[in-house]
Amino acid sequence: LAARVDFIDNKDELSKLSLVFNEMMDRLEESFHHQNQFVEDASHELRTPISIIEGHLNLLIRWGKEDPSVLNESLKASLDELARLKKLIQDLLLSSQTEPLQIETDIERVDPADVIIKIVDDFSVIHPEMIFEVETRYLSGIWLAISVGHLKQILMIVIDNAIKYSGDEKTIRITGKLVTENTVQLQIIDSGLGISNEHIAHVFDRFYRVEKARSRKIGGSGLGLAIAKRLVDNYQGSIRLESVEHEGTVVTVVLPRSFA
Ligand code: ADP
C-alpha cells in the first residue's frame, strides 16, 4: 500500500486512514476479480480435453469390442488428450502460483549458447520446414547462474510461439550477447504474423490470445508468455515483446548472469 497510518489522534489522520482503507478494498476487489477470472478461464480450458476423452470412451463402450480400429484410434486419441491435459495442469499450476519459485537448489552454471543449440536441434526435428539462424558467438565463454530447466522452458515457449505464428515466413533468428558486464540478452526474431498494437500490451496476461479463432486453430492455451514472464521475473530479469502486424515479432529476454 502507498500510505501507512501509524496512530490516529486527529481528524486528518482519520481521513488518511479511510483513504488507505478504501485503497485496500479496491485492491482486494481487484484481486478477487482476477482470481475468479482465472478459475473461469482454467475451467474452460480443462473442459475441452475432458469432453474429447469422454467422447472417445463412449465410442469405446459402443464399438470398441467389435471394431479394433475404433479401439486403437480412440485409445490413442484419449492418450493424446490426457497428455495435453497433464501439460495444461502443469501450466495452470505454474502460472497461478505467486510465491517465488524454489530455485536456489537448482542453480547451475549454464552455458546459454549450448542450451539454445540443443533446443534448436530438437525443434528442427519436429519442424523440418523451419530455418533457424542462430548467432551465439557473442555468448562464447559466457555463463548464467540459472536452473537449466527454467532457461529451457523460457526459450522453448518463445521459440515455439515464433514457429506457431510464423505464417509463410519460415526463418527464425536467435541471437545472444552480453549487454552489460552482468547481463545477457537473448532475442528471438520472426518475420511472421506479428501482433497489432492494441494486443501487444496484453500478451503476457494469462489466457490472452490475439484473435481467438486464429490462435485456437494453431493451439496453445494463452499461458506460455505468462509463464515465461514469471520465470524471468524470478531471476530479476526482464522479457519484452515488440511486434509489427504482418511483419514479425522480436522477443527480448534479459537475464542477470548471477542474481541477488
Ligand atoms: P499461446 O499458447 O496462445 O501461444 P502465449 O501466452 O504464448 O499463448 O501467447 C499469447 C498470444 O500472443 C498468442 O496467442 C499469440 O496470439 C500472440 N503471440 C505470441 N508470440 C507471438 C509471435 N511470435 N508472433 C505473433 N503472435 C504471437
Side-chain angles (χ1 to χ4, degrees):
L1 287 173
R4 294 254 170 222
V5 178
D6 294 329
F7 63 92
I8 301 160
D9 61 359
N10 59 36
K11 221 171 133 210
D12 220 33
E13 295 281 306
L14 202 61
S15 65
K16 217 161 136 195
L17 180 67
S18 71
L19 270 179
V20 173
F21 184 75
N22 288 338
E23 197 182 326
M24 207 165 84
M25 289 310 285
D26 285 348
R27 288 197 185 193
L28 265 178
E29 232 164 73
E30 197 184 297
S31 151
F32 282 138
H33 173 75
H34 279 299
Q35 200 72 27
N36 286 341
Q37 190 65 47
F38 179 75
V39 173
E40 211 174 286
D41 291 338
S43 316
H44 179 84
E45 289 300 323
L46 292 169
R47 212 170 289 144
T48 313
I50 289 174
S51 304
I52 297 176
I53 293 170
E54 192 180 24
H56 282 292
L57 288 179
N58 279 322
L59 276 179
L60 282 172
I61 287 176
R62 216 167 138 71
W63 308 107
K65 283 192 215 86
E66 298 137 48
D67 190 338
S69 70
V70 170
L71 185 72
N72 272 335
E73 269 168 44
S74 286
L75 284 179
K76 193 180 168 312
S78 300
L79 275 178
D80 285 351
E81 281 312 310
L82 270 180
R84 207 159 297 154
L85 199 58
K86 203 164 145 191
K87 164 94 171 52
L88 185 59
I89 290 169
Q90 278 168 355
D91 285 356
L92 285 171
L93 273 177
L94 198 52
S95 68
S96 69
Q97 296 159 347
T98 46
E99 70 272 19
L101 295 163
Q102 294 288 316
I103 52 175
E104 287 79 4
T105 49
D106 294 337
I107 294 297
E108 301 162 58
R109 194 182 152 103
V110 175
D111 176 346
D114 204 37
V115 175
I116 293 172
I117 289 162
K118 282 200 185 107
I119 292 177
V120 166
D121 280 350
D122 288 347
F123 273 120
S124 301
V125 174
I126 319 170
H127 297 282
E129 76 283 8
M130 300 304 299
I131 300 155
F132 294 98
E133 291 176 1
V134 181
E135 172 67 81
T136 52
R137 79 189 129 121
Y138 300 112
L139 288 177
S140 146
I142 306 297
W143 53 273
L144 290 170
I146 196 169
S147 141
V148 71
H150 288 159
L151 180 62
K152 270 190 186 155
Q153 208 169 351
I154 296 163
L155 286 166
M156 282 173 72
I157 289 168
V158 179
I159 298 172
D160 187 46
N161 279 348
I163 296 171
K164 280 195 295 191
Y165 307 109
S166 60
D168 296 328
E169 293 299 325
K170 298 299 175 201
T171 303
I172 292 170
R173 265 178 67 69
I174 302 165
T175 66
K177 64 178 182 191
L178 211 57
V179 274
T180 71
E181 203 185 318
N182 199 36
T183 23
V184 162
Q185 173 185 288
L186 309 173
Q187 283 192 313
I188 293 85
I189 305 156
D190 68 72
S191 313
L193 307 178
I195 306 169
S196 65
N197 274 336
E198 54 186 306
H199 293 297
I200 291 180
H202 301 288
V203 291
F204 291 100
D205 296 349
R206 289 182 305 198
F207 299 110
Y208 194 86
R209 287 150 164 173
V210 179
E211 280 180 54
K212 298 256 179 212
R214 169 182 110 186
S215 300
R216 197 164 288 284
K217 208 166 62 202
I218 297 176
S221 57
L223 289 173
L225 286 178
I227 291 172
K229 182 165 179 353
R230 171 150 198 255
L231 291 171
V232 169
D233 282 350
N234 215 60
Y235 292 92
Q236 282 111 48
S238 68
I239 177 167
R240 64 170 201 276
L241 181 148
E242 286 142 299
S243 189
V244 179
E245 201 174 14
H246 309 304
E247 287 192 16
T249 302
V250 180
V251 177
T252 306
V253 176
V254 176
L255 287 165
R257 292 173 67 190
S258 53
F259 62 96

